[in-house]
Amino acid sequence: MSIISMTGVNKVYPPRQRGQSEVVALDGIDLTVNKGDIFGIIGYSGAGKSTLVRLVNALETASGGSIVVDGTELVGLRESELRRVRLGIGMIFQQFNLFSAKTVWGNIAYPLTVAGVSREKQTARISELLHFVGLADKAHSYPDELSGGQKQRVGIARALATSPGILLADEATSALDPETTDEVLTLLQRVNREYGVTIIVITHEMEVIKRIANHVAVMEAGRIIESGPVFEVFSHPQTAASKRFVNTVVNSAPRDKELAALVERHPGTIISVAVNDTDASQSEVIRHLIQREVEFELIHGGIDNIQGKTFGTLTFALRGTSDNVRAAIDAVSRFANVEEVA
Ligand SMILES: Nc1ncnc2c1ncn2[C@@H]1O[C@H](COP(=O)(O)OP(=O)(O)OP(=O)(O)O)[C@@H](O)[C@H]1O
């Protein structure tokens, strides 16, 4: 069931200065996020990701199109009605955006006070959330006394205070080191599983998508150029930009210097085979090489796990008669994506 649905959404900003032209930040966005998704949106700087998020939580208005959030059409809605929609959406940020003069407790209490929640209920909710994010002992600390990862955990607790159904995470781990990033991503997965919150993750890092998203949309120049289940986009990227993102995190075929070094050490035929556990398993590839009496050596590559599925590219140096090598490549090519790299 869809919880966010965008159809033909445009956003045009007026020129920043006289003489400049207007900026088309979003250009015909069609997007459906289903309830329970961890939906990743990836793109380089300026692709339009933050603009898209600001439209979803109604911080900005669209120039055209339709945006339906949890059954409510946002386009054309009055400010008082937009406020109600915003209550159902939590948000976390790259720079955490905590109130530095308030304690951890005070930060989490803030949205509850604004929503008119009684003191008693606030206390119960804040205690629950502090335990959930593992900061029960930091209730009376100030943000300055916390590490980046702890600050983001406060950010998550504050965003969840009013029990929103949707959480928007805008580059939420971009300021954190890899280990802390991992902790925060694990926490977001718990938010999704244990509280049933739909999460939209905005990032320029494919690792984040690979780690937690089930669905991904790739943005470029204000458009969504590719979208689908994470495993599909990783295993069959359709556009140059998606391929570049995928190559940052998965073992792909060797190129340039790396390839030249391999060729020097392994004269003969070198092939790269994309393997996965749905249609091109590693064992099937190896079985065909053995059957065709081809000697082989695994010289490059590796296997990843994406959404519980095996995925990777293995590069083999093949040795044997040219007929056998050809027959082996033909046989493997029937079910797997094979690239003869040398
Ligand atoms: N208030 C604004 N006025 C004019 N142009 C804007 C405004 N906000 C964003 N833009 C422009 O819209 C385009 C998309 O910006 P946006 O911030 O959504 O991209 P992004 O993918 O989130 O990039 P980043 O990660 O750098 O924030 C950019 O060309 C940006 O300069």
Side-chain angles (χ1 to χ4, degrees), residues 117-263:
V117 174
S118 71
R119 265 297 155 94
E120 202 186 342
K121 283 197 175 144
Q122 284 196 20
T123 302
R125 181 69 179 150
I126 298 168
S127 300
E128 180 198 333
L129 286 167
L130 281 173
H131 278 100
F132 182 78
V133 301
L135 290 177
D137 57 334
K138 299 285 181 197
H140 305 297
S141 302
Y142 286 88
D144 278 356
E145 299 163 339
L146 304 177
S147 68
Q150 290 171 331
K151 284 181 198 163
Q152 197 55 292
R153 284 192 265 157
V154 178
I156 291 170
R158 184 179 63 178
L160 295 179
T162 55
S163 306
I166 299 170
L167 178 65
L168 306 176
D170 191 356
E171 300 281 5
T173 55
S174 299
L176 305 175
D177 61 54
E179 203 172 309
T180 316
T181 292
D182 205 56
E183 276 170 32
V184 169
L185 294 179
T186 301
L187 179 58
L188 288 177
Q189 272 178 320
R190 286 183 52 221
V191 169
N192 176 254
R193 286 191 196 135
E194 295 175 34
Y195 285 124
V197 174
T198 303
I199 303 181
I200 297 192
V201 178
I202 300 287
T203 184
H204 64 280
E205 294 168 331
M206 204 58 166
E207 187 61 40
V208 171
I209 305 280
K210 178 184 156 198
R211 184 68 173 69
I212 61 165
N214 66 313
H215 207 97
V216 61
V218 182
M219 286 193 75
E220 193 172 65
R223 295 166 185 252
I224 290 177
I225 56 167
E226 194 161 343
S227 172
V230 165
F231 182 74
E232 258 169 47
V233 173
F234 270 75
S235 50
H236 301 288
Q238 302 294 315
T239 58
S242 304
K243 284 180 190 157
R244 276 202 303 277
F245 280 123
V246 170
N247 284 342
T248 60
V249 286
V250 299
N251 284 293
S252 53
R255 304 269 176 235
D256 308 325
K257 273 191 192 156
E258 209 171 13
L259 178 58
L262 289 173
V263 168

Side-chain angles (χ1 to χ4, degrees), residues 13-14 16 23-25 43-52 54 60 171 202:
Y13 289 109
R16 279 203 166 112
V23 180
V24 180
Y44 295 112
S45 182
K49 309 179 298 291
S50 301
T51 303
L52 191 144
R54 287 201 298 271
E60 302 226 27
E171 300 281 5
I202 300 287

Side-chain angles (χ1 to χ4, degrees), residues 254-299:
R255 304 269 176 235
D256 308 325
K257 273 191 192 156
E258 209 171 13
L259 178 58
L262 289 173
V263 168
E264 201 161 301
R265 276 191 287 141
H266 304 279
T269 307
I270 298 180
I271 60 169
S272 288
V273 186
V275 294
N276 60 59
D277 59 9
T278 45
D279 53 2
S281 77
Q282 195 185 151
S283 56
E284 185 83 338
V285 173
I286 289 171
R287 193 165 63 78
H288 278 278
L289 297 177
I290 293 170
Q291 267 177 4
R292 294 328 187 266
E293 294 179 4
V294 167
E295 274 182 50
F296 60 88
E297 196 177 344
L298 181 58
I299 57 170

Side-chain angles (χ1 to χ4, degrees), residues 53-71:
V53 174
R54 287 201 298 271
L55 292 184
V56 170
N57 71 353
L59 291 175
E60 302 226 27
T61 52
S63 312
S66 156
I67 306 171
V68 178
V69 175
D70 214 3

